[in-house]
Amino acid sequence: MAKNPNKIREGNIAFDVLFYALAVFFAFITLYPMYYVLILSLSNPNAAASMRVFWWPKGFFLDGYKNIVTDRNLWLSYRNSIFYAGACCVFMLITCSMCAYPLTSRALRGRKYLTFFLLIPMYFNGGIIPSFLMIQKLGLYNTPWAVILPGSVSIWYIILFRSFFRTIGESLREAAMIDGANHYRVFFNLFMPNSKAILAVIALYTIIGQWNSWFQALIYLPDTYWQPLQLYLRRLLILQNASLESVMNLSAEALEEMAKEQLSNNQLKYTVIFISTLPMLVAYPFFQKYFVKGVMLGSLKE
């Protein structure tokens, strides 16, 4: 039988070179934006404002980091974001896993109808105004629970949990129940220990989603004491810009001082952007070994 000359053989040098070149390219376009913000935060404000920084810092400017260390509001919002992300992650794993477990049991009557009922809110919702009125009537407005409770359950994650639980096998559940285990023992001692992959994936998705969330806090948390880091960054990026009227009424000396302050604020923006992404960069490696397995088994296999 003739060999195919176009077939890629194991250990093919050309394929290895192409593969690693593509890997390096995609790693570069993924990491460079983050690196670019870092070198901007360390560069001279004038060089950063003129966008003459590309590969390494020009000058050395640490005032942005000095301002962050002494900024109480930043660390307060940082604490709030960590609290919201952690609380939503824990509640999300508990509610979604416990809701998905009964949907995998053959003994549950109307299981298909319940699954169909759960799918409806994935495509239709009441909108912002009913949600706002509900949060207000429940007394959750301007409290952390206005952010935590709506972010503690997801129909999509329930479906992922259900799909993953079905890969464990009904025979294991039946064997455990024959040995005298009830549903609580089966769930906590059998299903959950074997679901580390999907738990890690959903935990990562929840933490990232909540960490980047700002719209709900903007609506439900008018008090800056409870606002997360993303709203602090929003205020820094948008609300600190001087209005045109105030600039036109200033003297030359005041305009020069305002220009210096604006440059300093720009450096502070780059610094806060870099600092705000660090927790996600630190958290991701701990979930990486479960990530691919959890996504593939939890979302595709039935």
Side-chain angles (χ1 to χ4, degrees):
M1 184 176 180
K3 295 184 178 180
N4 184 359
N6 297 321
K7 183 179 180 181
I8 298 177
R9 299 184 301 274
E10 186 177 356
N12 187 291
I13 297 178
F15 175 77
D16 290 343
V17 172
L18 177 62
F19 177 80
Y20 284 111
L22 288 175
V24 170
F25 172 74
F26 285 114
F28 172 77
I29 63 176
T30 302
L31 297 176
Y32 180 73
M34 186 64 188
Y35 173 73
Y36 184 65
V37 173
L38 173 61
I39 61 177
L40 283 177
S41 67
L42 295 174
S43 299
N44 182 277
N46 293 319
S50 60
M51 293 299 172
R52 291 185 283 110
V53 181
F54 298 101
W55 300 110
W56 49 81
K58 290 190 176 182
F60 196 66
F61 187 83
L62 291 178
D63 286 6
Y65 292 93
K66 292 178 182 178
N67 292 333
I68 281 180
V69 172
T70 59
D71 191 343
R72 178 180 177 275
N73 292 328
L74 170 67
W75 296 112
L76 188 63
S77 61
Y78 218 103
R79 180 208 66 179
N80 293 337
S81 288
I82 294 175
F83 173 66
Y84 295 147
C88 288
C89 176
V90 172
F91 288 137
M92 183 72 76
L93 295 178
I94 294 174
T95 57
C96 293
S97 61
M98 296 187 73
C99 184
Y101 173 77
L103 297 177
T104 63
S105 176
R106 296 177 182 176
L108 179 65
R109 296 182 180 180
R111 181 178 54 173
K112 293 183 178 179
Y113 298 103
L114 288 175
T115 303
F116 178 76
F117 179 78
L118 286 175
L119 291 176
I120 296 177
M122 290 184 63
Y123 301 99
F124 306 97
N125 61 72
I128 297 177
I129 295 178
S131 300
F132 180 85
L133 293 176
M134 182 181 68
I135 292 294
Q136 193 175 42
K137 293 296 183 182
L138 291 175
L140 304 178
Y141 185 72
N142 203 24
T143 68
W145 294 108
V147 174
I148 295 174
L149 290 183
S152 298
V153 64
S154 169
I155 305 299
W156 171 239
Y157 292 159
I158 292 174
I159 301 301
L160 285 183
F161 264 116
R162 188 206 60 167
S163 301
F164 191 91
F165 285 165
R166 293 176 69 174
T167 65
I168 296 177
E170 184 68 19
S171 58
L172 289 177
R173 189 209 311 262
E174 293 175 352
M177 300 193 76
I178 289 174
D179 289 338
N182 55 24
H183 283 292
Y184 296 101
R185 291 290 300 275
V186 172
F187 176 72
F188 288 107
N189 295 344
L190 179 61
F191 276 69
M192 296 305 288
N194 290 297
S195 302
K196 293 180 180 178
I198 195 65
L199 287 170
V201 171
I202 292 180
L204 181 63
Y205 283 167
T206 304
I207 291 173
I208 292 177
Q210 190 60 44
W211 186 266
N212 295 325
S213 176
W214 61 273
F215 186 69
Q216 281 190 327
L218 179 65
I219 297 175
Y220 301 135
L221 300 177
D223 188 357
T224 57
Y225 182 82
W226 291 113
Q227 290 180 355
L229 181 62
Q230 300 304 324
L231 276 187
Y232 175 89
L233 182 59
R234 177 181 179 272
R235 293 198 304 271
L236 194 65
L237 293 173
I238 299 176
L239 302 182
Q240 285 188 354
N241 294 329
S243 64
L244 181 60
E245 294 180 359
S246 61
V247 172
M248 294 179 63
N249 295 328
L250 293 177
S251 62
E253 293 78 6
L255 286 174
E256 183 179 356
E257 186 66 27
M258 178 174 287
K260 292 180 180 180
E261 184 179 354
Q262 188 64 32
L263 289 175
S264 179
N265 287 339
N266 287 335
Q267 294 303 103
L268 184 61
K269 295 173 187 176
Y270 300 137
T271 305
V272 173
I273 291 173
F274 177 75
I275 293 297
S276 65
T277 57
L278 279 181
M280 297 301 99
L281 296 178
V282 173
Y284 185 79
F286 294 99
F287 299 93
Q288 186 177 7
K289 66 178 180 178
Y290 300 110
F291 189 75
V292 175
K293 180 181 177 182
V295 171
M296 296 299 292
L297 293 178
S299 60
L300 298 179
K301 187 174 180 181
E302 283 286 342

